[in-house]
Structures are given as structure tokens and as C-alpha cells.
Amino acid sequence: GKGRAFCAGGDVATAIRDINEGTWRLGAKFYWKQFTLNYILATYRKPQVSILNGIVMGGGAGASIHGRFRVATENSVFAMPETALGLFPDVGASYFMSRLPGFFGEYLGLTGTRLDGAEMLVCGLATHFVPSERLSLLEEALCKVDSSDPAIISAVINEYSKQPYMKEKSAYHRLNVIDRCFSQRTGEEIISALEREALNKKDDWISKTIQSLKRASPTSLKISLRSIREGRLQGVGQCLIREFRIACHAMQGKLSKDFFEGFRAILLDKDKNPKWEPSKLELVSDDMVDSYFSMMDDEGWEDLKLPARSNLPAYAIAKL
């Protein structure tokens, strides 16, 4: 990420352009390559150190969170904001978000909430926190050590790490409420549970969370919830294969046009007023959601085929 971001939404913009030109399959080809890269990073023998000194969202999260070491700073901002765009957390997010404490992954995936570096560290998205002024020293030390032993690399990063301060208003302090509400079976039940909490307790955080959910694409919320739930029981490869199917359906646009509408409202016209179709959660049937998870009936289309991996270290085998 040259500059302030480890991502920029360029993949979404390019996919939309290709779709508008009648070639959604170019987008599918891109996602095939991207998800294959995510898989290789997740199961890589060499330890990867990602320095997350800025915005880490979407594809930027896929290029870093799957690696062995993730170094957050006071400048880190993580989010998977796809539901506001009519999409769903992809790049293997259904794998790494479903493994966060309690139902914190469901909360992040459905609301698109932003986390800072301290929150990334405490929930496990980051492995270390290093103040940005020490990054050049850390990079120098890592280059000098010239080792691929994870224990040695971890010890070097530890030398420059510190325990960050977590702000009082952090959502992570509300893990009990998050677990109570986001453990519910359906999107409708999650919102009802949050509304019940709001009646019992005046809390701006609860009303903001409800607003985020109500602004998001109802179809995206249902797909995302199911995807993260399935991810809890699957290896990283299975998660990416499933996410590739969903992404292809979204780009083809036969089941829903929410992806195009989200792109228009958030990234193109920037009026932030998308007109979702269906417009309410209760209008999105289980059959509609099932369709996104099924193989595509389109000539020449095939499921994502991931490369064979061998001689993997134990930590990578655990992800399969």
C-alpha cells in the first residue's frame, strides 16, 4: 500500500467496468487469481510480516491477515465494509472473521465497523502492535536477522512492540452484548435483539449498530451471515471456494443488482442513498440466499480450483 492505504477498492471499480462492458467473466478471472493468492498466503511456508500502518480493508485485509505476522500501529484502520456496497466479506474473511472471539466476526462482517490498531490486536486480527515511529527500526532489524524461523521473527517484533491503550468506547468492551445479539440465527433476529437491548439501556453504540445494519443491503446481510457461519466449520480453502461462487453470482447480476447499486451510491455518485432490491430483510427468502451458495449454471463456468500444497508447517495445516 503506497501512501495511506493497504487497499483502495480498485478491484471493485474494475469489476464493475468489465460488467458494464458485458464481460463479467473478466471480474471472475480476477477474483480467481486473488482468492488463489489468498490461499497461498494462508498456507505459505515462509513467515510473512505485514505492517498495517494505515487503512486495511477488503482486498488489503486478504493480502495481510492470512499471513503469519500482522503488525498494527496507531494509524491502523481495519474494516470489511462490503455489506454497504451490496457485497459480502470475501478474500477468505469468512475464515478469519469466524475465528474471532465470540460473535465479534459476525458483528464486524455485518456492520462494516472500523477497528483501530489496539482493537485489532486484542481481537486477534493483529499479532503485534508497534508505534509507527519505530517501524523503520523494526524493518531494519527484520532485514538483519535474515531468518525464516517464526520464533526468531516473533522475538524481533516483540522488541519493538508495546501494549496499546484501548479506548473506553471500543465495541470490544461490549462483547457480552455482541454475543447476545449476533449469536441469533437470522438477520431479523439480530436486529430485534439489538432493539430489545436499546429499550433496556440508553447506549449510542447500540443505535449506531442498528443504523449500520438497516443501511446495508438486506441481501448482503443474509449472505454474509450465512457465509461467516459456514466458515466457522470449514478450512480456508473451502471458505474461498464458497466465496468465489457468491462473488460470481454477484457479478453476473441475475440474482440481485445490489452490487451495482451499492457501487453507484457509495463509490460513483457518492449520494450514499442506495435503493436496495429487495428493500427489507424479510423479503429476502432462504431460497434466494441458497442460490448464491450453489454452483453457477453458466456455460464454461467452474468452481475455484486451488493449487495442491505439500510439506506445510503445522500452523498452515491447521488452516486446512
Side-chain angles (χ1 to χ4, degrees):
K2 192 174 180 186
R4 71 190 190 96
F6 211 51
C7 62
D11 51 350
V12 176
T14 307
I16 289 277
R17 190 194 62 214
D18 292 338
I19 292 161
N20 288 339
E21 290 170 4
T23 52
W24 71 268
R25 284 174 171 282
L26 285 177
K29 244 182 209 164
F30 167 76
Y31 282 108
W32 182 293
K33 287 178 184 169
Q34 186 182 24
F35 290 6
T36 302
L37 175 65
N38 297 144
Y39 183 66
I40 289 168
L41 292 176
T43 55
Y44 210 42
R45 288 183 62 79
K46 290 182 188 177
Q48 172 189 334
V49 181
S50 300
I51 294 172
L52 311 173
N53 189 34
I55 300 167
V56 188
M57 298 183 189
S64 55
I65 306 293
H66 290 296
R68 188 73 184 265
F69 299 106
R70 288 95 57 193
V71 181
T73 76
E74 74 282 4
N75 300 321
S76 302
V77 185
F78 168 88
M80 293 299 282
E82 286 81 5
T83 58
L85 276 170
L87 280 170
F88 65 101
D90 59 351
V91 296
S94 62
Y95 177 80
F96 62 74
M97 288 177 116
S98 63
R99 280 151 180 82
L100 298 182
F103 290 85
F104 199 58
E106 277 90 337
Y107 162 68
L108 293 179
L110 298 187
T111 61
T113 297
R114 296 179 172 208
L115 299 184
D116 63 19
E119 291 168 312
M120 288 181 76
L121 181 72
V122 77
C123 78
L125 285 166
T127 56
H128 296 79
F129 183 97
V130 174
S132 60
E133 77 231 11
R134 310 188 76 182
L135 289 178
S136 55
L137 295 170
L138 169 63
E139 288 187 60
E140 210 178 300
L142 285 170
C143 290
K144 266 191 197 142
V145 75
D146 193 24
S147 168
S148 61
D149 181 339
I152 292 172
I153 294 164
S154 190
V156 171
I157 305 172
N158 281 337
E159 278 179 47
Y160 298 90
S161 296
K162 65 172 272 196
Q163 195 55 43
Y165 167 76
M166 202 157 77
K167 56 185 190 274
E168 215 174 295
K169 288 189 171 176
S170 169
Y172 201 76
H173 292 313
R174 294 173 166 83
L175 207 47
N176 286 343
V177 182
I178 287 171
D179 286 353
R180 269 200 303 278
C181 298
F182 284 84
S183 59
Q184 301 293 323
R185 197 179 59 83
T186 65
E188 293 93 323
E189 287 168 45
I190 288 171
I191 292 175
S192 296
L194 284 161
E195 287 172 340
R196 280 196 302 277
E197 295 280 345
L199 290 175
N200 300 332
K201 193 174 162 197
K202 179 97 184 78
D203 185 343
D204 285 350
W205 173 82
I206 295 175
S207 48
K208 276 186 188 147
T209 302
I210 294 168
Q211 279 168 10
S212 297
L213 292 169
K214 289 189 171 174
R215 271 199 308 266
S217 152
T219 304
S220 290
L221 287 179
K222 291 215 166 178
I223 291 165
S224 303
L225 180 60
R226 179 160 155 193
S227 183
I228 293 167
R229 290 273 156 90
E230 288 194 5
R232 285 174 172 264
L233 304 170
Q234 293 178 331
V236 68
Q238 290 168 294
C239 286
L240 287 161
I241 290 166
R242 168 174 31 75
E243 290 173 11
F244 181 72
R245 281 187 184 185
I246 305 171
C248 286
H249 280 296
M251 285 186 293
Q252 189 193 36
K254 275 187 188 169
L255 301 176
S256 163
K257 297 278 190 285
D258 277 7
F259 174 29
F260 314 105
E261 178 56 12
F263 176 78
R264 181 205 64 73
I266 310 297
L267 297 175
L268 190 64
D269 300 342
K270 298 188 178 172
D271 60 29
K272 296 191 173 148
N273 188 26
K275 301 279 185 281
W276 305 123
E277 189 56 51
S279 59
K280 292 191 174 86
L281 277 172
E282 50 272 27
L283 298 175
V284 183
S285 69
D286 288 346
D287 286 349
M288 287 161 81
V289 177
D290 288 345
S291 303
Y292 278 91
F293 289 74
S294 63
M295 288 181 74
M296 289 192 75
D297 183 15
D298 195 278
E299 200 187 329
W301 182 89
E302 54 179 342
D303 261 334
L304 179 65
K305 305 273 189 301
L306 293 167
R309 310 294 280 146
S310 57
N311 303 322
L312 293 176
Y315 95 96
I317 291 168
K319 295 181 181 181
L320 303 177

